[in-house]
């Protein structure tokens, strides 16, 4: 481990624990903000999931812009408000693509028999756009869009992720199993693809597991050992999509799990990766040699995923759900609610108000090393999210 990497971890695990408390508060606001978990899933589930692509754009492509122009905490406040606005706009856009637009129905848990409800109708499209955004941001290393500059590259990535996500939805999804009267009333368009909406969504989350594991948990290994970019990107995309498809097939056919259960399990794995790799920056595994560190990171991720699933399932089983199953809430809670909270805290809010813990630890442990160049290298930017491991 290099000196700068050791300094970056100097404030762990306290920095991660502080972030865990804050993200837990945001999680509960998203999960229970409408008064109950049942209505929160129906209203904030789609909005949070559509918003993930916008959060990723601000964190991974814009590097906290436009909030970076301001001092903390206003930088995080501005970016969070922007992310929320983007989430609402994208939800309305997704509703218009999948069914017919009805802005009022976006904010209603039970919009009425003839109104187009966003849950679960739009969730597959929301998941597809976020999966595409992560593929562009992590697996494709932001190439070639990064050449357009910070602002326009982010816009281009968001637009392209929607083109890819919508294209995949209309190519693969089939909703002919839904009653004709229900489809006509909501204005649902049947793409006529080969798989159900639930299967499509579950397969996307399985792909997301390998995006998170390979490019956040183990920082791009083993793909980052390939020096030539064209081969590295080809290998990375093939590996992530192939492993995702294989994981979904094994869980469905060999393990006999339903699409809802697959989504819930995989969602908890992704949430666990975000906790281990982003909130705690891989601590304490990052202090070990690379091979041992990767093994410990994966072991910690498995433990956190199991605990997260058990905790969420225990709560979900006691709730009376509307147009949903417990697995639907576990998926949204672990992926959309927790994922949005963690990325907002680390990548958008830059760990405020706990960022001072890192500065204090650096000053106490290495007071002579804090010259301007080192401060710049340790700055809380995109590298703090884990992107530096893949570039």
């Amino acid at each position: 481990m290099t000196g700068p990497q050791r300094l970056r971890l100097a404030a762990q695990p306290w920095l991660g624990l502080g972030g865990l408390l804050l993200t837990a508060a945001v999680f509960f606001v998203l999960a229970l903000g409408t008064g109950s978990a049942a209505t929160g899933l129906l209203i904030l589930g789609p909005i949070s999931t559509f918003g993930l692509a916008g959060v990723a754009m601000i964190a991974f492509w814009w590097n906290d812009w436009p909030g970076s122009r301001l001092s903390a905490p206003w930088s995080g406040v501005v970016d969070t408000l922007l992310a929320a606005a983007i989430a609402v706009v994208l939800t309305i856009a997704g509703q218009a693509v999948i069914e017919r637009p009805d802005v009022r129905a976006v904010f209603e848990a039970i919009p009425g028999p003839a109104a187009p409800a966003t849950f679960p109708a739009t969730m597959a499209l929301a998941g597809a756009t976020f999966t595409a955004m992560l593929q562009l941001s992590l697996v494709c290393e932001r190439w070639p869009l990064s050449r357009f500059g910070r602002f326009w590259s982010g816009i281009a990535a968001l637009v392209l992720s929607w083109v890819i996500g919508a294209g995949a939805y209309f190519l693969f999804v089939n909703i002919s199993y839904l009653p004709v009267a229900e489809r006509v009333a909501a204005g649902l368009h049947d793409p006529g693809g080969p798989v159900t909406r639930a299967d499509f969504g579950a397969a996307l989350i399985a792909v997301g597991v390998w995006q998170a594991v390979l490019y956040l948990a183990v920082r791009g290994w083993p793909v980052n050992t390939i020096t030539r970019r064209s081969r590295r990107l080809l290998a990375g995309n093939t590996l992530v999509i192939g492993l995702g498809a294989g994981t979904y097939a094994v869980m469905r056919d060999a393990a006999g799990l339903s699409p809802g259960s697959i989504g819930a399990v995989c969602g908890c794995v992704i949430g666990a990766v975000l906790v281990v790799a982003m909130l705690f920056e891989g601590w304490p595994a990052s202090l070990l040699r690379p091979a041992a560190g990767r093994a410990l990171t994966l072991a910690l991720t498995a433990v956190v995923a199991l605990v997260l699933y058990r905790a969420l399932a225990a709560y979900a089983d006691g709730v009376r759900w509307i147009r949903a199953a417990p697995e639907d809430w576990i998926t949204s809670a672990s992926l959309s609610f927790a994922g949005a909270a963690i990325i907002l805290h680390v990548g958008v809010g830059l760990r405020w108000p706990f960022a001072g813990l890192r500065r204090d630890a650096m000053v106490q442990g290495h007071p002579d090393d804090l010259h301007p160049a080192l401060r710049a290298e340790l700055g809380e930017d995109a590298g703090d999210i884990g992107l530096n491991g893949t570039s």
Side-chain angles (χ1 to χ4, degrees), residues 155-310:
I155 295 295
L158 184 62
V159 172
L160 183 57
S161 69
W162 265 73
V163 171
I164 296 173
Y169 178 87
F170 284 106
L171 181 64
F172 291 109
V173 172
N174 188 313
I175 59 170
S176 60
Y177 58 90
L178 295 175
V180 175
E182 179 181 336
R183 284 184 277 147
V184 172
L188 278 169
H189 311 300
D190 181 15
V195 300
T196 67
R197 186 171 62 194
D199 284 305
F200 178 73
L204 287 174
I205 302 175
V207 171
V209 165
W210 291 104
Q211 290 174 331
V213 168
L214 292 177
Y215 286 87
L216 292 177
V218 297
R219 304 301 176 108
W221 184 87
V223 179
N224 59 9
T225 60
I226 303 174
T227 56
R228 188 172 179 177
R229 181 167 61 185
S230 59
R231 294 178 180 176
R232 186 171 66 249
L233 298 188
L234 177 61
N237 280 275
T238 302
L239 193 62
V240 166
I241 296 174
L243 287 173
T247 299
Y248 169 73
V250 169
M251 296 181 74
R252 182 196 63 185
D253 299 331
L257 297 180
S258 66
S261 296
I262 295 173
V265 171
C266 291
C268 287
V269 173
I270 297 173
V273 170
L274 296 179
V275 171
V276 173
M278 291 184 66
L279 277 182
F280 289 90
E281 302 173 286
W283 184 93
S286 298
L287 302 175
L288 305 177
R289 293 182 180 275
R294 288 190 293 266
L296 181 57
T297 296
L298 295 177
L300 290 173
T301 298
V303 171
V304 174
L306 178 60
V307 171
L308 182 61
Y309 181 85
R310 294 288 189 184

